[in-house]
Amino acid sequence: MHAQVTVRYWAGARRAAGLASEVLPAATLAELLAQLKARPGLAEVVAASSVLVDEVHPSRDDVPLPAGAVVDILPPFAGG
C-alpha cells in the first residue's frame, strides 16, 4: 500500500524541484527516491543529497514510509 508522504526540499533541491514541498504516494523510501530521480533537473540533486525521514537519517533506502511521514531532501551545503 502506498502512503501519502510530504517531501520537503531545501536549498538547491528547492530550486531544482521548483517548489518547497509536495505530497507524493510511496510505500518505501527507495520508491520515493526513484520517483524523484526520474525528474529532469532533480535527479542529480537528489543523488547528492542527504535524506531524513521524520527527522531521522534512515540506515537503508528500503525502509517503509508510514502515512504522513515527512521526507527532507537536504543537498550539500557550503560555507563555514
Coordinates of all heavy atoms in Angstrom, one line a residue:
M1 N 0.8 -1.2 0.0 CA 0.0 0.0 0.0 C 0.9 1.2 0.0 O 1.9 1.3 0.7 CB -0.9 0.0 1.2 CG -1.8 1.2 1.3 SD -3.2 1.0 2.5 CE -2.4 1.4 4.0
H2 N 0.5 2.2 -0.8 CA 1.2 3.5 -0.9 C 0.7 4.5 0.1 O -0.5 4.8 0.1 CB 1.1 4.0 -2.3 CG 1.9 3.2 -3.3 ND1 1.4 2.1 -3.8 CD2 3.1 3.4 -3.8 CE1 2.3 1.6 -4.7 NE2 3.4 2.4 -4.6
A3 N 1.6 5.0 0.9 CA 1.3 6.0 1.9 C 1.5 7.4 1.2 O 2.3 7.5 0.3 CB 2.2 5.9 3.1
Q4 N 0.7 8.4 1.7 CA 0.9 9.7 1.2 C 2.0 10.4 2.2 O 1.8 10.4 3.4 CB -0.4 10.5 1.3 CG -1.5 10.0 0.3 CD -1.1 10.3 -1.1 OE1 -0.6 11.4 -1.5 NE2 -1.3 9.3 -1.9
V5 N 3.1 10.8 1.6 CA 4.1 11.4 2.4 C 4.4 12.8 1.9 O 4.3 13.1 0.7 CB 5.4 10.5 2.4 CG1 5.1 9.2 2.9 CG2 6.0 10.4 1.0
T6 N 4.9 13.6 2.8 CA 5.3 15.0 2.4 C 6.8 15.0 2.2 O 7.6 14.6 3.0 CB 4.9 16.0 3.6 OG1 3.5 15.9 3.8 CG2 5.4 17.4 3.2
V7 N 7.2 15.6 1.0 CA 8.6 15.7 0.7 C 8.9 17.2 0.8 O 8.2 18.1 0.2 CB 8.9 15.2 -0.8 CG1 10.3 15.4 -1.1 CG2 8.4 13.8 -0.9
R8 N 9.9 17.6 1.6 CA 10.3 19.0 1.7 C 11.7 19.1 1.1 O 12.6 18.3 1.4 CB 10.4 19.4 3.2 CG 9.0 19.3 3.9 CD 9.0 19.9 5.3 NE 10.0 19.3 6.1 CZ 10.1 19.5 7.5 NH1 9.2 20.3 8.0 NH2 11.0 18.9 8.2
Y9 N 11.8 20.1 0.3 CA 13.0 20.4 -0.5 C 13.7 21.6 0.2 O 13.1 22.6 0.4 CB 12.7 20.7 -1.9 CG 12.0 19.6 -2.6 CD1 10.6 19.7 -2.9 CD2 12.6 18.4 -3.1 CE1 9.9 18.7 -3.5 CE2 12.0 17.4 -3.7 CZ 10.6 17.5 -4.0 OH 9.9 16.5 -4.6
W10 N 15.0 21.5 0.3 CA 15.8 22.5 0.9 C 16.9 23.0 -0.1 O 17.4 22.3 -0.8 CB 16.5 22.0 2.2 CG 15.4 21.6 3.2 CD1 15.0 20.3 3.4 CD2 14.7 22.4 4.1 NE1 14.0 20.3 4.4 CE2 13.8 21.6 4.9 CE3 14.8 23.8 4.4 CZ2 13.0 22.1 5.8 CZ3 13.9 24.3 5.4 CH2 13.1 23.5 6.1
A11 N 17.2 24.3 0.0 CA 18.2 25.0 -0.8 C 18.2 24.6 -2.2 O 17.2 24.9 -2.9 CB 19.6 24.7 -0.1
G12 N 19.3 24.0 -2.8 CA 19.3 23.7 -4.2 C 18.3 22.7 -4.6 O 17.8 22.7 -5.8
A13 N 17.8 21.8 -3.7 CA 16.8 20.9 -4.1 C 15.5 21.6 -4.3 O 14.7 21.3 -5.2 CB 16.6 19.9 -3.0
R14 N 15.2 22.7 -3.5 CA 14.0 23.5 -3.7 C 14.1 24.2 -5.1 O 13.1 24.2 -5.8 CB 13.9 24.6 -2.6 CG 12.7 25.4 -2.7 CD 12.6 26.4 -1.6 NE 12.3 25.7 -0.4 CZ 12.1 26.3 0.8 NH1 12.1 27.6 0.9 NH2 11.8 25.5 1.8
R15 N 15.2 24.7 -5.5 CA 15.4 25.3 -6.8 C 15.1 24.3 -7.9 O 14.5 24.6 -8.9 CB 16.7 26.0 -6.9 CG 16.8 27.3 -6.2 CD 18.1 28.1 -6.5 NE 19.3 27.3 -6.0 CZ 19.8 27.3 -4.8 NH1 19.1 28.0 -3.8 NH2 20.9 26.6 -4.5
A16 N 15.7 23.1 -7.8 CA 15.6 22.1 -8.8 C 14.2 21.6 -8.9 O 13.7 21.3 -10.0 CB 16.6 20.9 -8.5
A17 N 13.5 21.4 -7.8 CA 12.1 20.9 -7.8 C 11.1 22.0 -8.2 O 10.0 21.7 -8.7 CB 11.7 20.4 -6.4
G18 N 11.5 23.3 -8.0 CA 10.6 24.4 -8.3 C 9.5 24.6 -7.3 O 8.5 25.3 -7.6
L19 N 9.6 23.9 -6.1 CA 8.6 24.1 -5.1 C 9.3 23.7 -3.7 O 10.3 23.1 -3.7 CB 7.4 23.3 -5.3 CG 7.5 21.9 -5.8 CD1 7.3 20.9 -4.7 CD2 6.5 21.6 -6.9
A20 N 8.7 24.2 -2.7 CA 9.2 23.9 -1.3 C 8.8 22.6 -0.8 O 9.6 21.9 -0.1 CB 8.7 25.0 -0.4
S21 N 7.7 22.1 -1.1 CA 7.2 20.8 -0.7 C 6.1 20.3 -1.5 O 5.5 21.0 -2.3 CB 6.8 20.8 0.8 OG 5.6 21.6 0.9
E22 N 5.8 19.0 -1.4 CA 4.7 18.4 -2.1 C 4.4 17.0 -1.4 O 5.2 16.5 -0.7 CB 5.0 18.1 -3.6 CG 6.2 17.1 -3.8 CD 6.5 17.0 -5.3 OE1 5.5 16.9 -6.1 OE2 7.7 17.0 -5.7
V23 N 3.2 16.5 -1.7 CA 2.7 15.2 -1.2 C 2.7 14.2 -2.3 O 2.2 14.5 -3.4 CB 1.3 15.4 -0.5 CG1 0.8 14.0 0.0 CG2 1.4 16.4 0.6
L24 N 3.4 13.1 -2.0 CA 3.5 12.0 -3.1 C 3.2 10.7 -2.4 O 3.4 10.5 -1.2 CB 4.9 12.0 -3.6 CG 5.4 13.2 -4.4 CD1 6.9 13.1 -4.7 CD2 4.7 13.4 -5.7
P25 N 2.7 9.7 -3.3 CA 2.5 8.4 -2.8 C 3.8 7.5 -2.9 O 4.4 7.6 -3.9 CB 1.4 7.9 -3.7 CG 1.7 8.6 -5.0 CD 2.2 9.9 -4.6
A26 N 4.1 6.8 -1.9 CA 5.2 5.9 -1.9 C 5.1 4.9 -0.8 O 4.8 5.3 0.4 CB 6.5 6.6 -1.8
A27 N 5.5 3.6 -1.0 CA 5.5 2.6 0.0 C 6.8 2.6 0.8 O 6.8 2.3 2.0 CB 5.2 1.3 -0.6
T28 N 7.9 2.9 0.1 CA 9.2 2.8 0.7 C 10.0 4.1 0.3 O 9.7 4.7 -0.7 CB 10.0 1.6 0.3 OG1 10.3 1.7 -1.2 CG2 9.3 0.3 0.5
L29 N 11.1 4.3 1.0 CA 11.9 5.4 0.7 C 12.5 5.2 -0.7 O 12.6 6.2 -1.5 CB 13.0 5.6 1.8 CG 14.0 6.7 1.5 CD1 13.3 8.1 1.4 CD2 15.0 6.8 2.6
A30 N 12.9 4.0 -1.0 CA 13.6 3.7 -2.3 C 12.6 4.0 -3.4 O 13.0 4.6 -4.4 CB 14.0 2.2 -2.4
E31 N 11.3 3.7 -3.3 CA 10.3 4.0 -4.3 C 10.2 5.5 -4.4 O 10.1 6.0 -5.6 CB 9.0 3.4 -3.9 CG 7.9 3.6 -4.9 CD 6.6 3.0 -4.5 OE1 6.6 1.9 -3.9 OE2 5.6 3.7 -4.6
L32 N 10.2 6.3 -3.3 CA 10.0 7.7 -3.4 C 11.2 8.3 -4.1 O 11.1 9.2 -5.0 CB 9.9 8.3 -2.0 CG 9.8 9.8 -1.9 CD1 8.5 10.3 -2.6 CD2 9.9 10.3 -0.5
L33 N 12.4 7.9 -3.7 CA 13.7 8.4 -4.3 C 13.7 8.1 -5.8 O 14.1 9.0 -6.6 CB 14.9 7.9 -3.6 CG 15.1 8.3 -2.2 CD1 16.3 7.6 -1.6 CD2 15.2 9.8 -2.1
A34 N 13.2 7.0 -6.2 CA 13.2 6.6 -7.7 C 12.2 7.6 -8.4 O 12.6 8.0 -9.5 CB 12.7 5.2 -7.9
Q35 N 11.1 7.9 -7.8 CA 10.2 8.9 -8.4 C 10.9 10.3 -8.6 O 10.8 10.9 -9.6 CB 9.0 9.2 -7.5 CG 8.0 8.1 -7.5 CD 6.8 8.5 -6.6 OE1 6.2 9.5 -6.8 NE2 6.5 7.7 -5.6
L36 N 11.6 10.7 -7.6 CA 12.3 12.0 -7.6 C 13.4 12.0 -8.6 O 13.6 13.0 -9.4 CB 12.8 12.4 -6.2 CG 11.7 12.5 -5.2 CD1 12.3 12.9 -3.8 CD2 10.6 13.5 -5.6
K37 N 14.2 10.9 -8.7 CA 15.3 10.8 -9.6 C 14.9 10.7 -11.0 O 15.7 10.9 -11.9 CB 16.2 9.6 -9.2 CG 17.0 9.9 -7.9 CD 17.8 8.7 -7.5 CE 18.5 8.9 -6.2 NZ 19.2 7.7 -5.8
A38 N 13.6 10.4 -11.3 CA 13.1 10.3 -12.7 C 12.8 11.7 -13.2 O 12.5 11.8 -14.4 CB 11.9 9.4 -12.7
R39 N 12.9 12.7 -12.4 CA 12.6 14.1 -12.9 C 13.8 14.8 -13.4 O 14.8 14.9 -12.7 CB 12.0 14.9 -11.7 CG 10.7 14.4 -11.2 CD 10.1 15.3 -10.1 NE 8.9 14.7 -9.6 CZ 8.3 15.3 -8.6 NH1 8.8 16.4 -8.0 NH2 7.2 14.8 -8.1
P40 N 13.7 15.3 -14.6 CA 14.9 16.0 -15.1 C 15.2 17.2 -14.2 O 14.4 17.9 -13.7 CB 14.4 16.6 -16.5 CG 13.2 15.7 -16.8 CD 12.6 15.3 -15.5
G41 N 16.5 17.4 -14.0 CA 17.0 18.5 -13.2 C 17.0 18.2 -11.7 O 17.8 18.8 -10.9
L42 N 16.2 17.3 -11.2 CA 16.2 16.9 -9.8 C 17.0 15.7 -9.5 O 17.5 15.5 -8.4 CB 14.7 16.7 -9.4 CG 14.4 16.6 -7.9 CD1 14.9 17.8 -7.1 CD2 12.9 16.4 -7.7
A43 N 17.2 14.8 -10.5 CA 17.9 13.6 -10.3 C 19.3 13.8 -9.7 O 19.6 13.1 -8.7 CB 18.0 12.8 -11.6
E44 N 20.1 14.7 -10.2 CA 21.5 14.9 -9.7 C 21.5 15.4 -8.3 O 22.3 15.1 -7.5 CB 22.2 15.8 -10.7 CG 22.6 15.2 -12.0 CD 23.4 16.1 -12.9 OE1 24.0 17.0 -12.4 OE2 23.4 15.8 -14.1
V45 N 20.5 16.3 -8.0 CA 20.5 17.0 -6.7 C 20.1 15.9 -5.7 O 20.7 15.8 -4.6 CB 19.5 18.1 -6.7 CG1 19.3 18.7 -5.3 CG2 19.9 19.2 -7.6
V46 N 19.1 15.1 -6.0 CA 18.6 14.1 -5.0 C 19.8 13.0 -4.8 O 20.0 12.6 -3.7 CB 17.4 13.4 -5.5 CG1 17.0 12.2 -4.7 CG2 16.2 14.4 -5.5
A47 N 20.5 12.7 -5.9 CA 21.6 11.7 -5.7 C 22.7 12.2 -4.8 O 23.3 11.4 -4.1 CB 22.1 11.3 -7.1
A48 N 22.9 13.5 -4.8 CA 23.9 14.1 -3.9 C 23.5 14.5 -2.5 O 24.3 14.9 -1.7 CB 24.6 15.3 -4.6
S49 N 22.2 14.4 -2.3 CA 21.6 14.9 -1.1 C 21.5 13.9 0.1 O 21.5 12.7 -0.2 CB 20.1 15.4 -1.3 OG 20.1 16.5 -2.2
S50 N 21.5 14.4 1.3 CA 21.1 13.6 2.5 C 19.6 13.6 2.5 O 18.9 14.5 2.1 CB 21.7 14.3 3.7 OG 23.1 14.3 3.7
V51 N 19.1 12.5 3.1 CA 17.7 12.3 3.2 C 17.3 12.0 4.7 O 18.0 11.2 5.3 CB 17.2 11.2 2.3 CG1 15.7 10.9 2.5 CG2 17.5 11.5 0.9
L52 N 16.3 12.7 5.2 CA 15.8 12.4 6.5 C 14.4 12.0 6.4 O 13.6 12.5 5.6 CB 15.9 13.7 7.4 CG 17.2 14.3 7.7 CD1 17.1 15.5 8.5 CD2 18.1 13.3 8.3
V53 N 14.0 11.0 7.2 CA 12.6 10.5 7.3 C 12.1 10.8 8.7 O 12.7 10.3 9.7 CB 12.4 9.0 7.0 CG1 11.0 8.6 7.1 CG2 12.9 8.8 5.5
D54 N 11.2 11.7 8.8 CA 10.7 12.2 10.2 C 11.9 12.5 11.1 O 12.0 12.1 12.2 CB 9.9 11.1 10.8 CG 8.5 10.9 10.1 OD1 8.0 11.9 9.5 OD2 8.0 9.8 10.1
E55 N 12.8 13.3 10.5 CA 14.0 13.9 11.1 C 15.0 12.9 11.6 O 15.9 13.2 12.4 CB 13.5 14.8 12.4 CG 12.6 15.9 12.0 CD 12.2 16.8 13.1 OE1 12.8 16.6 14.2 OE2 11.4 17.7 12.9
V56 N 15.0 11.7 11.0 CA 16.0 10.7 11.3 C 16.6 10.2 10.0 O 15.9 10.0 9.0 CB 15.3 9.5 12.0 CG1 16.3 8.3 12.2 CG2 14.7 9.9 13.3
H57 N 18.0 10.1 10.0 CA 18.7 9.6 8.8 C 18.4 8.1 8.7 O 18.9 7.3 9.6 CB 20.2 9.9 8.9 CG 20.9 9.6 7.7 ND1 20.9 8.3 7.1 CD2 21.7 10.3 6.9 CE1 21.7 8.3 6.0 NE2 22.1 9.5 5.9
P58 N 17.7 7.6 7.7 CA 17.5 6.1 7.6 C 18.8 5.3 7.3 O 19.7 5.8 6.7 CB 16.5 6.0 6.5 CG 16.7 7.2 5.6 CD 17.2 8.3 6.6
S59 N 18.8 4.1 7.9 CA 20.0 3.3 7.7 C 20.0 2.6 6.3 O 21.1 2.1 5.9 CB 20.1 2.2 8.8 OG 19.0 1.4 8.8
R60 N 18.9 2.6 5.7 CA 18.8 2.0 4.3 C 17.6 2.6 3.6 O 16.8 3.2 4.1 CB 18.6 0.5 4.4 CG 17.5 0.0 5.2 CD 17.5 -1.5 5.5 NE 16.1 -2.0 5.6 CZ 15.4 -1.9 6.7 NH1 15.8 -1.3 7.8 NH2 14.2 -2.4 6.7
D61 N 17.6 2.4 2.2 CA 16.6 3.0 1.4 C 15.3 2.2 1.3 O 14.3 2.8 0.9 CB 17.1 3.2 0.0 CG 18.1 4.3 -0.1 OD1 18.3 5.1 0.8 OD2 18.8 4.4 -1.2
D62 N 15.3 1.0 1.7 CA 14.1 0.2 1.6 C 13.2 0.3 2.8 O 12.3 -0.6 3.0 CB 14.4 -1.3 1.3 CG 15.2 -2.0 2.4 OD1 15.7 -1.3 3.3 OD2 15.3 -3.2 2.3
V63 N 13.4 1.3 3.7 CA 12.5 1.4 4.8 C 11.1 1.8 4.4 O 10.9 2.6 3.5 CB 13.1 2.5 5.8 CG1 14.4 2.1 6.4 CG2 13.1 3.8 5.2
P64 N 10.1 1.2 5.0 CA 8.7 1.6 4.7 C 8.4 3.0 5.1 O 9.0 3.5 6.1 CB 7.9 0.6 5.5 CG 8.8 -0.3 6.2 CD 10.2 0.2 6.0
L65 N 7.6 3.7 4.4 CA 7.2 5.0 4.7 C 5.8 5.0 5.3 O 4.8 4.6 4.6 CB 7.2 5.9 3.5 CG 8.6 6.2 3.0 CD1 8.5 7.0 1.7 CD2 9.5 6.9 4.0
P66 N 5.6 5.4 6.5 CA 4.2 5.4 7.1 C 3.4 6.6 6.5 O 4.0 7.6 6.1 CB 4.5 5.6 8.6 CG 5.8 6.3 8.7 CD 6.6 5.8 7.5
A67 N 2.1 6.5 6.5 CA 1.3 7.6 6.1 C 1.6 8.8 6.9 O 1.8 8.7 8.1 CB -0.2 7.2 6.2
G68 N 1.7 10.0 6.3 CA 2.0 11.2 7.0 C 3.5 11.5 7.2 O 3.8 12.5 7.8
A69 N 4.4 10.6 6.8 CA 5.8 10.8 7.0 C 6.3 12.0 6.3 O 5.7 12.5 5.3 CB 6.6 9.6 6.5
V70 N 7.3 12.6 6.9 CA 7.9 13.8 6.2 C 9.3 13.4 5.8 O 10.1 13.0 6.7 CB 8.0 15.0 7.2 CG1 8.7 16.2 6.6 CG2 6.5 15.4 7.6
V71 N 9.6 13.6 4.5 CA 10.9 13.3 4.0 C 11.6 14.6 3.6 O 11.0 15.3 2.8 CB 10.8 12.3 2.8 CG1 12.2 12.0 2.2 CG2 10.1 11.0 3.2
D72 N 12.8 14.8 4.2 CA 13.5 16.1 3.8 C 14.6 15.7 2.9 O 15.4 14.8 3.1 CB 14.1 16.7 5.1 CG 13.0 17.3 6.0 OD1 12.3 18.2 5.5 OD2 12.9 16.9 7.2
I73 N 14.8 16.5 1.8 CA 15.8 16.4 0.8 C 16.8 17.5 1.1 O 16.5 18.7 0.9 CB 15.3 16.4 -0.6 CG1 14.2 15.4 -0.8 CG2 16.4 16.2 -1.6 CD1 14.6 13.9 -0.7
L74 N 18.0 17.2 1.6 CA 19.0 18.2 2.0 C 20.2 18.1 1.2 O 21.1 17.2 1.4 CB 19.4 17.9 3.5 CG 18.2 17.9 4.5 CD1 18.6 17.2 5.8 CD2 17.7 19.3 4.7
P75 N 20.4 19.0 0.2 CA 21.6 19.0 -0.6 C 22.8 19.4 0.2 O 22.6 20.0 1.3 CB 21.3 19.9 -1.8 CG 20.2 20.8 -1.3 CD 19.4 20.0 -0.2
P76 N 24.0 19.1 -0.3 CA 25.2 19.6 0.4 C 25.2 21.1 0.6 O 24.8 21.8 -0.4 CB 26.3 19.1 -0.5 CG 25.8 18.1 -1.4 CD 24.3 18.4 -1.5
F77 N 25.6 21.6 1.7 CA 25.6 23.0 2.0 C 27.1 23.4 2.0 O 27.9 22.7 2.6 CB 25.0 23.3 3.3 CG 23.5 23.1 3.4 CD1 23.0 21.9 3.8 CD2 22.6 24.1 3.0 CE1 21.6 21.7 3.8 CE2 21.3 23.9 3.0 CZ 20.8 22.7 3.4
A78 N 27.4 24.6 1.5 CA 28.7 25.2 1.5 C 28.7 26.3 2.6 O 27.7 26.8 2.9 CB 29.1 25.7 0.2
G79 N 29.9 26.6 3.1 CA 30.0 27.7 4.0 C 30.9 27.3 5.2 O 31.4 26.2 5.2
G80 N 31.0 28.2 6.1 CA 31.8 27.9 7.2 C 31.3 28.5 8.5 O 30.2 28.8 8.7

